[in-house]
Amino acid sequence: MKKTDDLYKSLGEKRSIDEYFAENSDEMLFESVADLLNYKIAAEKMSKIDVINRSGIEKHYGYQILNGTKNPSRDKLIMLGFGIGLAINEMNRLLRKSGYGELYPRDARDSVIAFALIHHMNVISVNELLYEKHLKLLE
């Protein structure tokens, strides 16, 4: 975690706020999980529908999560994270912000999910791995 003074210094050195956000997104506080998800979607230059389709979540429910009208389960957040293409540290930040536990590599199910994130797999591939290991699927 950077010191506040370092963040102010960075603000003064950047040519645009977008440059600052790109470099310091892990330091940013967001009002809600929906705000954080929407920031990540915009940062990746993706559309909401593409993220929802890639996540495997039902469209109507996905939009409700992204609009902040539904509080998603841990699995739904993980699925959206895969839809965005989050790195493992970003996924853990999303889970923490939502009040859920981070992916824990000693937990069999979490280790499969983390492996899939690290290896840039999609939700279908994750569920195939979970199924092979007789673990609960993402749903």
Side-chain angles (χ1 to χ4, degrees):
M1 179 175 255
K2 293 181 181 177
K3 294 180 183 177
T4 303
D5 288 342
D6 293 336
L7 292 173
Y8 277 124
K9 182 179 178 188
S10 181
L11 276 168
E13 294 169 349
K14 301 302 173 212
R15 293 184 185 272
S16 72
I17 193 68
D18 290 335
E19 186 180 342
Y20 172 79
F21 268 58
E23 183 179 300
N24 296 291
S25 65
D26 287 346
E27 303 292 332
M28 306 303 292
L29 300 175
F30 291 88
E31 296 266 333
S32 69
V33 173
D35 289 341
L36 178 56
L37 286 167
N38 285 302
Y39 170 75
K40 289 294 186 184
I41 291 168
E44 294 297 323
K45 297 179 177 28
M46 299 178 78
S47 68
K48 289 180 181 182
I49 191 63
D50 286 341
V51 168
I52 292 168
N53 286 337
R54 289 178 52 176
S55 73
I57 295 175
E58 190 273 326
K59 286 178 184 58
H60 182 71
Y61 188 66
Y63 277 112
Q64 289 177 326
I65 293 169
L66 295 176
N67 291 332
T69 57
K70 291 285 183 184
N71 291 320
S73 67
R74 185 175 189 261
D75 276 7
K76 295 294 189 226
L77 282 175
I78 290 170
M79 293 169 74
L80 282 168
F82 273 100
I84 299 169
L86 296 181
I88 194 160
N89 63 326
E90 296 171 315
M91 181 72 81
N92 281 332
R93 180 171 183 233
L94 176 62
L95 292 170
R96 277 192 316 271
K97 173 70 178 169
S98 306
Y100 295 113
E102 294 183 8
L103 294 171
Y104 184 56
R106 293 184 192 273
D107 179 90
R109 185 171 187 262
D110 280 2
S111 66
V112 170
I113 294 167
F115 177 88
L117 279 170
I118 291 166
H119 292 279
H120 309 287
M121 295 179 171
N122 62 29
V123 172
I124 294 170
S125 297
V126 176
N127 276 336
E128 288 172 352
L129 287 176
L130 290 168
Y131 181 80
E132 288 172 13
K133 297 296 179 195
H134 306 287
L135 299 167
K136 184 180 175 285
L137 305 181
L138 289 172
E139 52 185 22

Short mmCIF file of all heavy atoms in Angstrom, two decimals, residues 66-133:
data_model
loop_
_atom_site.label_atom_id
_atom_site.label_comp_id
_atom_site.label_asym_id
_atom_site.label_seq_id
_atom_site.Cartn_x
_atom_site.Cartn_y
_atom_site.Cartn_z
N LEU A 66 -24.05 -5.50 -11.95
CA LEU A 66 -23.26 -4.37 -12.44
C LEU A 66 -23.93 -3.02 -12.17
O LEU A 66 -23.25 -2.00 -12.09
CB LEU A 66 -22.95 -4.54 -13.92
CG LEU A 66 -22.06 -5.74 -14.27
CD1 LEU A 66 -21.89 -5.87 -15.77
CD2 LEU A 66 -20.71 -5.64 -13.58
N ASN A 67 -25.26 -3.03 -12.04
CA ASN A 67 -25.98 -1.80 -11.70
C ASN A 67 -26.06 -1.57 -10.20
O ASN A 67 -26.57 -0.55 -9.75
CB ASN A 67 -27.38 -1.82 -12.31
CG ASN A 67 -27.34 -1.72 -13.81
OD1 ASN A 67 -26.41 -1.17 -14.38
ND2 ASN A 67 -28.34 -2.29 -14.47
N GLY A 68 -25.61 -2.54 -9.41
CA GLY A 68 -25.60 -2.40 -7.97
C GLY A 68 -26.92 -2.72 -7.29
O GLY A 68 -27.07 -2.43 -6.10
N THR A 69 -27.86 -3.31 -8.00
CA THR A 69 -29.16 -3.64 -7.39
C THR A 69 -29.19 -5.03 -6.78
O THR A 69 -30.12 -5.35 -6.05
CB THR A 69 -30.32 -3.48 -8.40
OG1 THR A 69 -30.07 -4.31 -9.53
CG2 THR A 69 -30.46 -2.03 -8.84
N LYS A 70 -28.21 -5.86 -7.09
CA LYS A 70 -28.09 -7.20 -6.50
C LYS A 70 -26.72 -7.37 -5.89
O LYS A 70 -25.72 -6.92 -6.46
CB LYS A 70 -28.30 -8.31 -7.55
CG LYS A 70 -29.70 -8.42 -8.08
CD LYS A 70 -30.61 -9.06 -7.06
CE LYS A 70 -31.99 -9.23 -7.67
NZ LYS A 70 -32.95 -9.75 -6.74
N ASN A 71 -26.67 -8.02 -4.75
CA ASN A 71 -25.39 -8.37 -4.12
C ASN A 71 -25.04 -9.79 -4.52
O ASN A 71 -25.75 -10.72 -4.13
CB ASN A 71 -25.49 -8.25 -2.60
CG ASN A 71 -25.62 -6.82 -2.16
OD1 ASN A 71 -24.97 -5.94 -2.71
ND2 ASN A 71 -26.47 -6.56 -1.18
N PRO A 72 -23.99 -9.95 -5.27
CA PRO A 72 -23.65 -11.28 -5.79
C PRO A 72 -23.02 -12.19 -4.75
O PRO A 72 -22.39 -11.72 -3.79
CB PRO A 72 -22.66 -10.97 -6.91
CG PRO A 72 -22.01 -9.70 -6.48
CD PRO A 72 -23.08 -8.92 -5.76
N SER A 73 -23.16 -13.47 -4.97
CA SER A 73 -22.47 -14.47 -4.16
C SER A 73 -20.99 -14.45 -4.53
O SER A 73 -20.58 -13.85 -5.53
CB SER A 73 -23.05 -15.86 -4.44
OG SER A 73 -22.74 -16.25 -5.77
N ARG A 74 -20.20 -15.13 -3.75
CA ARG A 74 -18.76 -15.25 -4.03
C ARG A 74 -18.54 -15.88 -5.40
O ARG A 74 -17.71 -15.42 -6.19
CB ARG A 74 -18.08 -16.07 -2.94
CG ARG A 74 -16.56 -16.15 -3.06
CD ARG A 74 -15.98 -16.90 -1.85
NE ARG A 74 -14.54 -16.84 -1.77
CZ ARG A 74 -13.73 -17.82 -2.18
NH1 ARG A 74 -14.22 -18.94 -2.68
NH2 ARG A 74 -12.42 -17.68 -2.06
N ASP A 75 -19.31 -16.95 -5.71
CA ASP A 75 -19.16 -17.61 -7.01
C ASP A 75 -19.48 -16.67 -8.16
O ASP A 75 -18.77 -16.66 -9.17
CB ASP A 75 -20.05 -18.84 -7.09
CG ASP A 75 -19.43 -20.08 -6.49
OD1 ASP A 75 -18.34 -19.99 -5.87
OD2 ASP A 75 -20.03 -21.16 -6.64
N LYS A 76 -20.54 -15.88 -8.04
CA LYS A 76 -20.90 -14.96 -9.12
C LYS A 76 -19.81 -13.91 -9.33
O LYS A 76 -19.49 -13.55 -10.46
CB LYS A 76 -22.24 -14.28 -8.84
CG LYS A 76 -23.43 -15.21 -8.82
CD LYS A 76 -23.71 -15.83 -10.16
CE LYS A 76 -25.03 -16.58 -10.13
NZ LYS A 76 -24.96 -17.89 -10.73
N LEU A 77 -19.22 -13.43 -8.24
CA LEU A 77 -18.11 -12.47 -8.37
C LEU A 77 -16.92 -13.10 -9.07
O LEU A 77 -16.30 -12.48 -9.94
CB LEU A 77 -17.68 -11.96 -7.01
CG LEU A 77 -18.56 -10.89 -6.39
CD1 LEU A 77 -18.07 -10.56 -4.98
CD2 LEU A 77 -18.58 -9.65 -7.24
N ILE A 78 -16.63 -14.33 -8.70
CA ILE A 78 -15.52 -15.04 -9.35
C ILE A 78 -15.82 -15.21 -10.84
O ILE A 78 -14.94 -14.98 -11.69
CB ILE A 78 -15.26 -16.39 -8.66
CG1 ILE A 78 -14.66 -16.15 -7.26
CG2 ILE A 78 -14.34 -17.27 -9.50
CD1 ILE A 78 -14.59 -17.38 -6.38
N MET A 79 -17.04 -15.58 -11.16
CA MET A 79 -17.41 -15.74 -12.57
C MET A 79 -17.27 -14.43 -13.33
O MET A 79 -16.76 -14.39 -14.46
CB MET A 79 -18.83 -16.31 -12.67
CG MET A 79 -18.93 -17.74 -12.15
SD MET A 79 -20.64 -18.32 -11.95
CE MET A 79 -21.09 -18.58 -13.68
N LEU A 80 -17.71 -13.32 -12.73
CA LEU A 80 -17.55 -12.01 -13.37
C LEU A 80 -16.07 -11.66 -13.52
O LEU A 80 -15.66 -11.09 -14.53
CB LEU A 80 -18.28 -10.92 -12.58
CG LEU A 80 -19.78 -10.87 -12.79
CD1 LEU A 80 -20.43 -9.96 -11.75
CD2 LEU A 80 -20.13 -10.41 -14.20
N GLY A 81 -15.28 -12.02 -12.52
CA GLY A 81 -13.83 -11.79 -12.61
C GLY A 81 -13.22 -12.52 -13.79
O GLY A 81 -12.37 -11.98 -14.50
N PHE A 82 -13.66 -13.75 -14.01
CA PHE A 82 -13.20 -14.49 -15.19
C PHE A 82 -13.69 -13.81 -16.46
O PHE A 82 -12.96 -13.75 -17.45
CB PHE A 82 -13.67 -15.95 -15.15
CG PHE A 82 -12.75 -16.87 -14.40
CD1 PHE A 82 -13.04 -17.24 -13.10
CD2 PHE A 82 -11.59 -17.36 -14.99
CE1 PHE A 82 -12.20 -18.09 -12.39
CE2 PHE A 82 -10.74 -18.20 -14.30
CZ PHE A 82 -11.04 -18.57 -12.99
N GLY A 83 -14.91 -13.30 -16.43
CA GLY A 83 -15.45 -12.60 -17.60
C GLY A 83 -14.64 -11.37 -17.97
O GLY A 83 -14.47 -11.05 -19.14
N ILE A 84 -14.13 -10.68 -16.96
CA ILE A 84 -13.30 -9.50 -17.19
C ILE A 84 -11.87 -9.89 -17.55
O ILE A 84 -11.17 -9.17 -18.25
CB ILE A 84 -13.31 -8.57 -15.94
CG1 ILE A 84 -14.72 -8.08 -15.65
CG2 ILE A 84 -12.35 -7.39 -16.12
CD1 ILE A 84 -14.87 -7.40 -14.31
N GLY A 85 -11.44 -11.04 -17.06
CA GLY A 85 -10.07 -11.47 -17.27
C GLY A 85 -9.14 -10.97 -16.18
O GLY A 85 -7.98 -10.64 -16.44
N LEU A 86 -9.64 -10.90 -14.95
CA LEU A 86 -8.84 -10.38 -13.84
C LEU A 86 -7.65 -11.28 -13.54
O LEU A 86 -7.73 -12.50 -13.67
CB LEU A 86 -9.70 -10.27 -12.58
CG LEU A 86 -10.87 -9.30 -12.59
CD1 LEU A 86 -11.58 -9.31 -11.24
CD2 LEU A 86 -10.42 -7.89 -12.95
N ALA A 87 -6.59 -10.66 -13.10
CA ALA A 87 -5.44 -11.39 -12.56
C ALA A 87 -5.80 -11.81 -11.14
O ALA A 87 -6.75 -11.30 -10.55
CB ALA A 87 -4.20 -10.49 -12.55
N ILE A 88 -5.04 -12.73 -10.59
CA ILE A 88 -5.38 -13.27 -9.27
C ILE A 88 -5.39 -12.20 -8.19
O ILE A 88 -6.26 -12.19 -7.32
CB ILE A 88 -4.47 -14.46 -8.90
CG1 ILE A 88 -5.07 -15.21 -7.71
CG2 ILE A 88 -3.05 -14.03 -8.66
CD1 ILE A 88 -4.59 -16.61 -7.56
N ASN A 89 -4.45 -11.25 -8.22
CA ASN A 89 -4.45 -10.19 -7.20
C ASN A 89 -5.67 -9.30 -7.33
O ASN A 89 -6.22 -8.84 -6.33
CB ASN A 89 -3.14 -9.38 -7.25
CG ASN A 89 -2.96 -8.64 -8.56
OD1 ASN A 89 -3.35 -9.11 -9.63
ND2 ASN A 89 -2.34 -7.49 -8.49
N GLU A 90 -6.13 -9.07 -8.56
CA GLU A 90 -7.33 -8.27 -8.77
C GLU A 90 -8.57 -9.03 -8.30
O GLU A 90 -9.49 -8.44 -7.72
CB GLU A 90 -7.48 -7.92 -10.25
CG GLU A 90 -6.37 -7.03 -10.78
CD GLU A 90 -6.41 -6.87 -12.28
OE1 GLU A 90 -6.57 -7.88 -13.00
OE2 GLU A 90 -6.27 -5.73 -12.74
N MET A 91 -8.59 -10.34 -8.55
CA MET A 91 -9.71 -11.15 -8.09
C MET A 91 -9.78 -11.13 -6.57
O MET A 91 -10.87 -10.96 -6.00
CB MET A 91 -9.57 -12.59 -8.59
CG MET A 91 -10.71 -13.50 -8.18
SD MET A 91 -12.25 -13.16 -9.06
CE MET A 91 -11.92 -14.03 -10.59
N ASN A 92 -8.65 -11.29 -5.92
CA ASN A 92 -8.64 -11.27 -4.46
C ASN A 92 -9.08 -9.92 -3.91
O ASN A 92 -9.77 -9.84 -2.90
CB ASN A 92 -7.27 -11.67 -3.91
CG ASN A 92 -7.08 -13.17 -3.94
OD1 ASN A 92 -8.04 -13.94 -3.86
ND2 ASN A 92 -5.84 -13.61 -4.06
N ARG A 93 -8.69 -8.86 -4.58
CA ARG A 93 -9.13 -7.52 -4.15
C ARG A 93 -10.64 -7.40 -4.28
O ARG A 93 -11.31 -6.88 -3.39
CB ARG A 93 -8.44 -6.45 -5.00
CG ARG A 93 -8.87 -5.06 -4.61
CD ARG A 93 -8.02 -4.00 -5.30
NE ARG A 93 -8.44 -2.70 -4.82
CZ ARG A 93 -8.80 -1.71 -5.62
NH1 ARG A 93 -8.75 -1.85 -6.92
NH2 ARG A 93 -9.17 -0.56 -5.12
N LEU A 94 -11.19 -7.88 -5.38
CA LEU A 94 -12.64 -7.86 -5.58
C LEU A 94 -13.35 -8.66 -4.49
O LEU A 94 -14.34 -8.21 -3.92
CB LEU A 94 -12.98 -8.43 -6.97
CG LEU A 94 -14.45 -8.58 -7.31
CD1 LEU A 94 -15.15 -7.23 -7.32
CD2 LEU A 94 -14.60 -9.28 -8.67
N LEU A 95 -12.83 -9.83 -4.17
CA LEU A 95 -13.43 -10.65 -3.13
C LEU A 95 -13.36 -9.96 -1.76
O LEU A 95 -14.34 -9.96 -1.01
CB LEU A 95 -12.77 -12.03 -3.08
CG LEU A 95 -13.03 -12.92 -4.30
CD1 LEU A 95 -12.15 -14.16 -4.27
CD2 LEU A 95 -14.51 -13.30 -4.39
N ARG A 96 -12.21 -9.36 -1.45
CA ARG A 96 -12.07 -8.64 -0.18
C ARG A 96 -13.06 -7.49 -0.10
O ARG A 96 -13.72 -7.29 0.92
CB ARG A 96 -10.65 -8.09 -0.02
CG ARG A 96 -9.63 -9.05 0.49
CD ARG A 96 -8.33 -8.34 0.89
NE ARG A 96 -7.85 -7.34 -0.04
CZ ARG A 96 -7.04 -7.57 -1.07
NH1 ARG A 96 -6.61 -8.80 -1.31
NH2 ARG A 96 -6.65 -6.59 -1.86
N LYS A 97 -13.14 -6.71 -1.17
CA LYS A 97 -14.04 -5.55 -1.21
C LYS A 97 -15.48 -5.98 -0.98
O LYS A 97 -16.27 -5.26 -0.39
CB LYS A 97 -13.89 -4.83 -2.56
CG LYS A 97 -14.87 -3.71 -2.80
CD LYS A 97 -14.60 -2.51 -1.93
CE LYS A 97 -15.60 -1.40 -2.25
NZ LYS A 97 -15.56 -0.33 -1.28
N SER A 98 -15.81 -7.19 -1.41
CA SER A 98 -17.18 -7.70 -1.30
C SER A 98 -17.45 -8.37 0.04
O SER A 98 -18.56 -8.82 0.29
CB SER A 98 -17.42 -8.72 -2.41
OG SER A 98 -17.13 -8.14 -3.66
N GLY A 99 -16.42 -8.46 0.88
CA GLY A 99 -16.60 -9.08 2.18
C GLY A 99 -16.42 -10.59 2.17
O GLY A 99 -16.72 -11.27 3.16
N TYR A 100 -15.92 -11.13 1.07
CA TYR A 100 -15.66 -12.56 0.97
C TYR A 100 -14.18 -12.83 1.17
O TYR A 100 -13.35 -11.95 0.98
CB TYR A 100 -16.09 -13.10 -0.41
CG TYR A 100 -17.57 -13.01 -0.66
CD1 TYR A 100 -18.08 -12.16 -1.62
CD2 TYR A 100 -18.46 -13.79 0.06
CE1 TYR A 100 -19.45 -12.07 -1.86
CE2 TYR A 100 -19.82 -13.72 -0.16
CZ TYR A 100 -20.32 -12.85 -1.13
OH TYR A 100 -21.66 -12.77 -1.35
N GLY A 101 -13.86 -14.07 1.50
CA GLY A 101 -12.48 -14.46 1.65
C GLY A 101 -11.77 -14.53 0.31
O GLY A 101 -12.37 -14.86 -0.71
N GLU A 102 -10.48 -14.22 0.34
CA GLU A 102 -9.65 -14.34 -0.85
C GLU A 102 -9.54 -15.81 -1.25
O GLU A 102 -9.82 -16.70 -0.45
CB GLU A 102 -8.24 -13.82 -0.56
CG GLU A 102 -8.15 -12.37 -0.29
CD GLU A 102 -6.72 -11.89 -0.08
OE1 GLU A 102 -5.77 -12.69 -0.28
OE2 GLU A 102 -6.55 -10.72 0.29
N LEU A 103 -9.10 -16.03 -2.48
CA LEU A 103 -8.80 -17.39 -2.90
C LEU A 103 -7.65 -17.91 -2.05
O LEU A 103 -6.64 -17.22 -1.88
CB LEU A 103 -8.43 -17.43 -4.39
CG LEU A 103 -9.57 -17.06 -5.33
CD1 LEU A 103 -9.05 -16.90 -6.75
CD2 LEU A 103 -10.69 -18.08 -5.27
N TYR A 104 -7.81 -19.09 -1.52
CA TYR A 104 -6.85 -19.65 -0.58
C TYR A 104 -6.26 -20.92 -1.18
O TYR A 104 -6.97 -21.90 -1.39
CB TYR A 104 -7.56 -19.94 0.74
CG TYR A 104 -6.68 -20.43 1.85
CD1 TYR A 104 -5.58 -19.69 2.27
CD2 TYR A 104 -6.96 -21.62 2.50
CE1 TYR A 104 -4.77 -20.14 3.32
CE2 TYR A 104 -6.17 -22.08 3.54
CZ TYR A 104 -5.07 -21.32 3.94
OH TYR A 104 -4.29 -21.76 4.97
N PRO A 105 -4.95 -20.93 -1.48
CA PRO A 105 -4.36 -22.05 -2.20
C PRO A 105 -4.34 -23.37 -1.42
O PRO A 105 -4.09 -24.42 -2.00
CB PRO A 105 -2.94 -21.58 -2.51
CG PRO A 105 -2.67 -20.47 -1.57
CD PRO A 105 -3.99 -19.86 -1.22
N ARG A 106 -4.62 -23.35 -0.12
CA ARG A 106 -4.71 -24.60 0.64
C ARG A 106 -6.10 -25.23 0.53
O ARG A 106 -6.29 -26.39 0.86
CB ARG A 106 -4.37 -24.36 2.11
CG ARG A 106 -2.92 -23.99 2.31
CD ARG A 106 -2.60 -23.87 3.79
NE ARG A 106 -1.32 -23.25 4.01
CZ ARG A 106 -0.16 -23.90 4.02
NH1 ARG A 106 -0.13 -25.20 3.83
NH2 ARG A 106 0.97 -23.26 4.23
N ASP A 107 -7.06 -24.45 0.08
CA ASP A 107 -8.40 -24.96 -0.16
C ASP A 107 -8.45 -25.57 -1.56
O ASP A 107 -8.08 -24.91 -2.54
CB ASP A 107 -9.41 -23.81 -0.05
CG ASP A 107 -10.83 -24.26 -0.31
OD1 ASP A 107 -11.51 -24.66 0.65
OD2 ASP A 107 -11.25 -24.22 -1.49
N ALA A 108 -8.89 -26.81 -1.66
CA ALA A 108 -8.85 -27.52 -2.95
C ALA A 108 -9.60 -26.77 -4.04
O ALA A 108 -9.09 -26.56 -5.14
CB ALA A 108 -9.40 -28.93 -2.79
N ARG A 109 -10.82 -26.35 -3.74
CA ARG A 109 -11.64 -25.65 -4.75
C ARG A 109 -10.99 -24.32 -5.14
O ARG A 109 -10.88 -23.99 -6.32
CB ARG A 109 -13.04 -25.43 -4.22
CG ARG A 109 -14.00 -24.83 -5.23
CD ARG A 109 -15.42 -24.85 -4.67
NE ARG A 109 -16.39 -24.43 -5.65
CZ ARG A 109 -16.89 -23.18 -5.71
NH1 ARG A 109 -16.53 -22.26 -4.83
NH2 ARG A 109 -17.77 -22.88 -6.64
N ASP A 110 -10.58 -23.54 -4.14
CA ASP A 110 -9.94 -22.26 -4.43
C ASP A 110 -8.65 -22.44 -5.23
O ASP A 110 -8.32 -21.61 -6.08
CB ASP A 110 -9.64 -21.50 -3.14
CG ASP A 110 -10.85 -20.78 -2.56
OD1 ASP A 110 -11.95 -20.89 -3.13
OD2 ASP A 110 -10.67 -20.11 -1.53
N SER A 111 -7.91 -23.51 -4.95
CA SER A 111 -6.65 -23.71 -5.68
C SER A 111 -6.92 -24.01 -7.15
O SER A 111 -6.17 -23.56 -8.02
CB SER A 111 -5.81 -24.81 -5.04
OG SER A 111 -6.42 -26.06 -5.14
N VAL A 112 -8.00 -24.72 -7.45
CA VAL A 112 -8.37 -24.96 -8.86
C VAL A 112 -8.74 -23.65 -9.53
O VAL A 112 -8.30 -23.35 -10.65
CB VAL A 112 -9.53 -25.99 -8.96
CG1 VAL A 112 -10.08 -26.05 -10.38
CG2 VAL A 112 -9.08 -27.36 -8.49
N ILE A 113 -9.52 -22.83 -8.84
CA ILE A 113 -9.93 -21.53 -9.39
C ILE A 113 -8.70 -20.64 -9.61
O ILE A 113 -8.56 -20.01 -10.66
CB ILE A 113 -10.97 -20.86 -8.47
CG1 ILE A 113 -12.27 -21.68 -8.46
CG2 ILE A 113 -11.24 -19.43 -8.90
CD1 ILE A 113 -13.24 -21.31 -7.36
N ALA A 114 -7.81 -20.59 -8.63
CA ALA A 114 -6.59 -19.78 -8.75
C ALA A 114 -5.73 -20.27 -9.91
O ALA A 114 -5.19 -19.47 -10.68
CB ALA A 114 -5.81 -19.80 -7.44
N PHE A 115 -5.58 -21.59 -10.04
CA PHE A 115 -4.82 -22.17 -11.15
C PHE A 115 -5.41 -21.69 -12.48
O PHE A 115 -4.67 -21.27 -13.38
CB PHE A 115 -4.85 -23.70 -11.07
CG PHE A 115 -4.16 -24.38 -12.21
CD1 PHE A 115 -2.80 -24.64 -12.15
CD2 PHE A 115 -4.87 -24.76 -13.35
CE1 PHE A 115 -2.16 -25.27 -13.21
CE2 PHE A 115 -4.24 -25.39 -14.41
CZ PHE A 115 -2.87 -25.64 -14.35
N ALA A 116 -6.72 -21.74 -12.59
CA ALA A 116 -7.39 -21.32 -13.82
C ALA A 116 -7.17 -19.84 -14.10
O ALA A 116 -6.98 -19.44 -15.25
CB ALA A 116 -8.87 -21.65 -13.75
N LEU A 117 -7.20 -19.03 -13.06
CA LEU A 117 -6.93 -17.59 -13.24
C LEU A 117 -5.52 -17.36 -13.74
O LEU A 117 -5.30 -16.62 -14.70
CB LEU A 117 -7.10 -16.84 -11.92
CG LEU A 117 -8.50 -16.47 -11.49
CD1 LEU A 117 -8.48 -15.96 -10.06
CD2 LEU A 117 -9.08 -15.43 -12.41
N ILE A 118 -4.57 -18.00 -13.09
CA ILE A 118 -3.16 -17.83 -13.44
C ILE A 118 -2.90 -18.27 -14.88
O ILE A 118 -2.10 -17.66 -15.59
CB ILE A 118 -2.26 -18.59 -12.44
CG1 ILE A 118 -2.33 -17.91 -11.07
CG2 ILE A 118 -0.82 -18.67 -12.93
CD1 ILE A 118 -1.76 -18.74 -9.93
N HIS A 119 -3.63 -19.29 -15.32
CA HIS A 119 -3.43 -19.83 -16.66
C HIS A 119 -4.45 -19.29 -17.68
O HIS A 119 -4.59 -19.85 -18.77
CB HIS A 119 -3.44 -21.36 -16.61
CG HIS A 119 -2.25 -21.90 -15.88
ND1 HIS A 119 -1.02 -22.04 -16.47
CD2 HIS A 119 -2.09 -22.28 -14.59
CE1 HIS A 119 -0.16 -22.50 -15.58
NE2 HIS A 119 -0.77 -22.64 -14.43
N HIS A 120 -5.13 -18.21 -17.31
CA HIS A 120 -6.02 -17.47 -18.22
C HIS A 120 -7.10 -18.37 -18.85
O HIS A 120 -7.38 -18.27 -20.04
CB HIS A 120 -5.22 -16.74 -19.31
CG HIS A 120 -4.12 -15.92 -18.76
ND1 HIS A 120 -4.34 -14.73 -18.09
CD2 HIS A 120 -2.77 -16.13 -18.74
CE1 HIS A 120 -3.17 -14.23 -17.70
NE2 HIS A 120 -2.22 -15.06 -18.08
N MET A 121 -7.68 -19.23 -18.04
CA MET A 121 -8.76 -20.09 -18.52
C MET A 121 -10.09 -19.35 -18.44
O MET A 121 -10.19 -18.30 -17.82
CB MET A 121 -8.81 -21.37 -17.68
CG MET A 121 -7.60 -22.23 -17.81
SD MET A 121 -7.76 -23.68 -16.75
CE MET A 121 -6.36 -24.63 -17.29
N ASN A 122 -11.11 -19.94 -19.06
CA ASN A 122 -12.44 -19.36 -18.98
C ASN A 122 -13.30 -20.13 -17.98
O ASN A 122 -12.88 -21.15 -17.44
CB ASN A 122 -13.09 -19.29 -20.37
CG ASN A 122 -13.28 -20.66 -20.99
OD1 ASN A 122 -13.45 -21.66 -20.30
ND2 ASN A 122 -13.25 -20.71 -22.30
N VAL A 123 -14.52 -19.67 -17.76
CA VAL A 123 -15.40 -20.26 -16.76
C VAL A 123 -15.72 -21.72 -17.09
O VAL A 123 -15.75 -22.57 -16.20
CB VAL A 123 -16.71 -19.43 -16.62
CG1 VAL A 123 -17.72 -20.14 -15.74
CG2 VAL A 123 -16.40 -18.06 -16.05
N ILE A 124 -15.92 -22.02 -18.35
CA ILE A 124 -16.22 -23.40 -18.73
C ILE A 124 -15.06 -24.32 -18.38
O ILE A 124 -15.24 -25.39 -17.81
CB ILE A 124 -16.56 -23.49 -20.24
CG1 ILE A 124 -17.87 -22.75 -20.51
CG2 ILE A 124 -16.64 -24.94 -20.70
CD1 ILE A 124 -18.19 -22.55 -21.96
N SER A 125 -13.84 -23.88 -18.67
CA SER A 125 -12.66 -24.68 -18.35
C SER A 125 -12.49 -24.85 -16.84
O SER A 125 -12.10 -25.92 -16.37
CB SER A 125 -11.40 -24.04 -18.93
OG SER A 125 -11.49 -24.00 -20.34
N VAL A 126 -12.79 -23.81 -16.08
CA VAL A 126 -12.71 -23.89 -14.62
C VAL A 126 -13.68 -24.97 -14.12
O VAL A 126 -13.31 -25.82 -13.32
CB VAL A 126 -13.06 -22.55 -13.95
CG1 VAL A 126 -13.07 -22.68 -12.44
CG2 VAL A 126 -12.12 -21.47 -14.39
N ASN A 127 -14.90 -24.91 -14.61
CA ASN A 127 -15.90 -25.88 -14.17
C ASN A 127 -15.53 -27.30 -14.60
O ASN A 127 -15.80 -28.26 -13.86
CB ASN A 127 -17.30 -25.50 -14.65
CG ASN A 127 -17.95 -24.51 -13.70
OD1 ASN A 127 -17.60 -24.43 -12.53
ND2 ASN A 127 -18.91 -23.76 -14.20
N GLU A 128 -14.90 -27.45 -15.74
CA GLU A 128 -14.43 -28.78 -16.14
C GLU A 128 -13.38 -29.30 -15.16
O GLU A 128 -13.43 -30.47 -14.76
CB GLU A 128 -13.86 -28.74 -17.56
CG GLU A 128 -14.92 -28.59 -18.63
CD GLU A 128 -14.35 -28.37 -20.03
OE1 GLU A 128 -13.12 -28.17 -20.17
OE2 GLU A 128 -15.16 -28.39 -20.97
N LEU A 129 -12.45 -28.43 -14.76
CA LEU A 129 -11.43 -28.83 -13.78
C LEU A 129 -12.07 -29.16 -12.43
O LEU A 129 -11.70 -30.13 -11.78
CB LEU A 129 -10.38 -27.73 -13.60
CG LEU A 129 -9.39 -27.52 -14.72
CD1 LEU A 129 -8.50 -26.31 -14.40
CD2 LEU A 129 -8.54 -28.76 -14.93
N LEU A 130 -13.01 -28.34 -12.00
CA LEU A 130 -13.69 -28.59 -10.73
C LEU A 130 -14.44 -29.92 -10.78
O LEU A 130 -14.40 -30.70 -9.83
CB LEU A 130 -14.65 -27.43 -10.39
CG LEU A 130 -13.99 -26.11 -10.02
CD1 LEU A 130 -15.01 -24.98 -10.00
CD2 LEU A 130 -13.27 -26.21 -8.68
N TYR A 131 -15.10 -30.19 -11.90
CA TYR A 131 -15.83 -31.44 -12.06
C TYR A 131 -14.89 -32.64 -11.99
O TYR A 131 -15.18 -33.63 -11.31
CB TYR A 131 -16.58 -31.42 -13.40
CG TYR A 131 -17.38 -32.66 -13.66
CD1 TYR A 131 -18.63 -32.83 -13.07
CD2 TYR A 131 -16.88 -33.67 -14.48
CE1 TYR A 131 -19.37 -33.99 -13.30
CE2 TYR A 131 -17.61 -34.82 -14.71
CZ TYR A 131 -18.86 -34.97 -14.12
OH TYR A 131 -19.59 -36.13 -14.35
N GLU A 132 -13.75 -32.53 -12.68
CA GLU A 132 -12.75 -33.61 -12.67
C GLU A 132 -12.25 -33.92 -11.25
O GLU A 132 -11.94 -35.06 -10.93
CB GLU A 132 -11.54 -33.24 -13.54
CG GLU A 132 -11.81 -33.26 -15.02
CD GLU A 132 -10.64 -32.71 -15.82
OE1 GLU A 132 -9.53 -32.55 -15.27
OE2 GLU A 132 -10.84 -32.42 -17.02
N LYS A 133 -12.19 -32.88 -10.42
CA LYS A 133 -11.69 -33.05 -9.05
C LYS A 133 -12.83 -33.30 -8.05
O LYS A 133 -12.60 -33.31 -6.84
CB LYS A 133 -10.89 -31.81 -8.62
CG LYS A 133 -9.64 -31.58 -9.43
CD LYS A 133 -8.67 -32.72 -9.24
CE LYS A 133 -7.43 -32.54 -10.06
NZ LYS A 133 -6.65 -33.76 -10.16
#
